[in-house]
Amino acid sequence: QRSQVILFFLSRGYFKSRNCLREVRSSLEMDKPLVLVQEADPAKGGGTLTALRAECPEELQPDIFDQNWPLTIWYRIEEFQLVSLKITAEALLLCSPNFLGSTSLPLTVTGELRIRAFGFSTFAKVWASPANAGARELAEELVAAFPGLIVSTAEEAGDATHMLLYLNEDSFVSDERLAEQVKQ
């Protein structure tokens, strides 16, 4: 009852547990702020948010899944896990009295790169092949983040110093030119 925020670690079977459901209902009845952490690893009970929602009793779904509660995916790869932990810690702290009204906190993890003005020490021209679905859009984001970066979306690499390879489910199947371009 004295908890200021409640963390739900969502995994397959979470909403099938009588004890978990008792905690969920109690938290909602007391209007406690929630932080949701979604297990990503299927071997550890992870599931998609859609699958986890389907396990939740229908009457509870809107209060848990439709209220824009902070949601973090829990990754088990060490570097990503540290980021998941940092995001979770920030969400919990933002619900505490000392940080109410704040929208973010300057939390860092030991060894983490801090966001500053990054740039290239020498000339850099990135080629985003038209045969690589999604590469042009990512290149535009990079240009916005890295002042001085030049991007080419020409048919050939030309004088580019780097090739941007954007990998997704369509890579190498939507345009066979990409495989040849990568080989070069």
Side-chain angles (χ1 to χ4, degrees):
Q1 291 182 355
R2 294 187 317 204
S3 298
Q4 296 169 353
V5 61
I6 307 296
L7 184 145
F8 292 166
F9 193 93
L10 306 176
S11 61
R12 285 190 324 266
Y14 179 83
F15 293 109
K16 294 178 181 175
S17 163
R18 190 174 353 162
N19 289 332
C20 290
L21 281 176
R22 185 172 47 236
E23 289 179 1
V24 167
R25 286 188 171 98
S26 176
S27 300
L28 294 174
E29 287 169 8
M30 291 188 281
D31 288 325
K32 298 289 184 176
L34 306 179
V35 172
L36 308 176
V37 179
Q38 175 190 352
E39 173 62 64
D41 186 348
K44 305 284 187 188
T48 65
L49 203 55
T50 302
L52 296 171
R53 181 183 180 123
E55 288 186 0
C56 180
E58 197 170 319
E59 73 275 8
L60 299 176
Q61 290 178 12
D63 290 331
I64 296 169
F65 294 99
D66 299 338
Q67 298 301 315
N68 292 321
W69 297 117
L71 170 68
T72 302
I73 297 175
W74 185 255
Y75 293 104
R76 293 184 179 270
I77 298 169
E78 183 178 359
E79 291 79 6
F80 297 120
Q81 191 174 45
L82 290 173
V83 173
S84 294
L85 184 60
K86 180 178 104 170
I87 293 169
T88 302
E90 180 183 49
L92 291 169
L93 287 169
L94 288 172
C95 292
S96 70
N98 291 342
F99 299 105
L100 285 177
S102 298
T103 56
S104 65
L105 298 173
L107 302 180
T108 58
V109 175
T110 303
E112 176 183 22
L113 291 175
R114 308 250 3 237
I115 296 178
R116 292 202 176 119
F118 287 108
F120 293 91
S121 59
T122 60
F123 172 78
K125 184 174 184 180
V126 175
W127 178 50
S129 169
N132 188 192
R136 182 181 51 78
E137 292 82 0
L138 179 59
E140 291 170 0
E141 289 182 37
L142 290 172
V143 166
F146 297 100
L149 179 65
I150 298 171
V151 171
S152 168
T153 57
E155 287 296 321
E156 301 291 327
D159 63 344
T161 58
H162 300 80
M163 177 184 185
L164 173 64
L165 180 59
Y166 181 73
L167 298 176
N168 60 50
E169 59 196 20
D170 295 324
S171 300
F172 305 111
V173 293
S174 64
D175 193 325
E176 35 190 70
R177 296 177 298 162
L178 183 60
E180 287 302 315
Q181 293 169 342
V182 171
K183 288 179 189 176
Q184 297 173 8

